[in-house]
Amino acid sequence: MSGHPGVLVAEQPHYLPWVDFYEQVARAGTLVVLDDVQWLRRGWQRRTRVALPHGVPTPPPSEPGFQWLSIPLEDPHRDTRIRDLTVDQSQPWARKHLQAMVTLYGGRPHFRAQVLPLLEPFYDAAARESGPGSLLRVLMSSMALFHAPLGLEPNLVLSSTLERRGEDKTQRLVEYCLQTGAHTYYSGTGSTVYLKPERFRAVDVRLLWQRFRHPDYAQGREGREGRFVTGLSIVDVLANVPVETVRTWLQPSPWGPFAGDGPQPLQRADAAVGEESAGLSKRTK
């Protein structure tokens, strides 16, 4: 899946992201990685959600059913841009994260065949990354780690290579669409709190919201509520589900806006119709 020409997705770099992210990548003709934005201490950029340790029951819905794995940083300042952050290699984080993955998922049906052969060289290389920009390099590698198995071939563009125009988030995204020639912006629904759809319509760019729900899958644990834990890393998915099945999850809906040739350039006569929906995402940038 090489995405749909003219469709742009913009996301901050993430550490071993969730499967919803890869559905956006599957739709994108161009994936703009927002490397020149400020990092968030409690954001998703350097953290990923994985299963709870064995023996710990899944708590009720009022409590988190996951744990975080976080990449340590050297003296990060809240105003530092993601592209300038440095991984703290004084801590053996890569070795510990790999050990944690093996401990958590080593007994799952597809981990050793589908996941471990990719994680081992990734963490070996990540442990040697240092200096300014090292976090971005690690994150980019982690995002791309499962592109080939999932059949994805995204056209990646760093936002730092584009002209930074616009005074707010919406206008900068509009400008990225114009600079890359995109006629459609595909956004996760979390952006509804700040995106201004009229800005896209004003330049004939179609705005689509992600509507994606993958099936529940066996996660190898039964909690007190017997509930499925959402939002875990792609590692959790591929440790439990055959990659061929996950590929089918990423296929476009046969009746949605990405069916057939996908969304087409927005005509001026269509501009008043309003933004369209393509689904419900659990997270976004």
Side-chain angles (χ1 to χ4, degrees):
M1 288 176 279
S2 57
H4 295 266
V7 176
L8 184 138
V9 168
E11 279 282 349
Q12 296 180 17
H14 300 294
Y15 176 38
L16 296 172
W18 53 98
V19 69
D20 303 54
F21 167 81
Y22 291 98
E23 193 274 339
Q24 283 187 283
V25 174
R27 304 285 81 78
T30 300
L31 172 63
V32 173
V33 178
L34 303 172
D35 66 320
D36 60 350
V37 299
Q38 294 177 355
W39 82 292
L40 301 174
R41 185 176 297 275
R42 295 187 177 276
W44 287 77
Q45 302 105 325
R46 68 182 183 111
R47 306 194 298 170
T48 191
R49 289 177 174 179
V50 294
L52 291 171
H54 296 295
V56 177
T58 303
S62 60
E63 302 174 27
F66 57 84
Q67 60 178 318
W68 292 101
L69 291 182
S70 302
I71 301 174
L73 301 176
E74 283 187 11
D75 301 322
H77 188 276
R78 66 178 184 178
D79 293 330
T80 306
R81 297 185 188 277
I82 295 174
R83 67 183 183 189
D84 298 322
L85 289 168
T86 299
V87 175
D88 183 0
Q89 295 294 11
S90 68
Q91 303 183 45
W93 71 273
R95 175 174 56 82
K96 289 184 176 181
H97 284 199
L98 178 59
Q99 289 176 343
M101 294 292 194
V102 173
T103 300
L104 292 170
Y105 296 113
R108 301 308 300 153
H110 303 288
F111 177 77
R112 296 189 180 277
Q114 294 184 166
V115 181
L116 187 59
L118 298 177
L119 285 183
E120 288 178 325
F122 162 71
Y123 281 118
D124 181 64
R128 298 193 298 272
E129 286 286 2
S130 62
S134 53
L135 177 67
L136 178 62
R137 293 191 292 273
V138 170
L139 298 181
M140 295 291 287
S141 295
S142 82
M143 291 161 57
L145 199 58
F146 298 103
H147 280 169
L150 295 174
L152 303 175
E153 299 177 359
N155 173 36
L156 294 173
V157 176
L158 294 177
S159 60
S160 59
T161 66
L162 299 173
E163 187 172 347
R164 188 179 176 89
R165 305 172 185 164
E167 297 180 355
D168 59 22
K169 294 179 180 178
T170 297
Q171 195 58 40
R172 283 195 289 272
L173 294 173
V174 169
E175 292 293 339
Y176 292 154
C177 290
L178 296 176
Q179 291 180 53
T180 60
H183 56 67
T184 299
Y185 182 70
Y186 185 40
S187 174
T189 54
S191 300
T192 57
V193 298
Y194 65 82
L195 280 189
K196 300 172 182 177
E198 66 274 10
R199 300 270 192 89
F200 292 89
R201 291 197 296 269
V203 294
D204 295 340
V205 172
R206 188 185 305 274
L207 175 60
L208 297 178
W209 302 104
Q210 186 184 30
R211 299 189 75 84
F212 173 70
R213 288 189 183 278
H214 61 77
D216 292 359
Y217 56 90
Q219 294 178 313
R221 57 168 55 240
E222 293 294 332
R224 293 194 296 268
E225 304 293 325
R227 67 185 177 103
F228 177 77
V229 180
T230 62
L232 299 184
S233 167
I234 187 68
V235 169
D236 189 274
V237 175
L238 291 177
N240 291 291
V241 182
V243 67
E244 295 81 8
T245 299
V246 180
R247 285 184 183 179
T248 66
W249 295 354
L250 302 183
Q251 293 292 331
S253 167
W255 55 81
F258 290 100
D261 295 331
Q264 300 301 307
L266 188 65
Q267 301 299 317
R268 175 59 66 178
D270 299 330
V273 174
E275 62 276 11
E276 302 179 37
S277 294
L280 181 62
S281 173
K282 304 175 185 64
R283 262 155 320 281
T284 186
K285 57 180 182 356

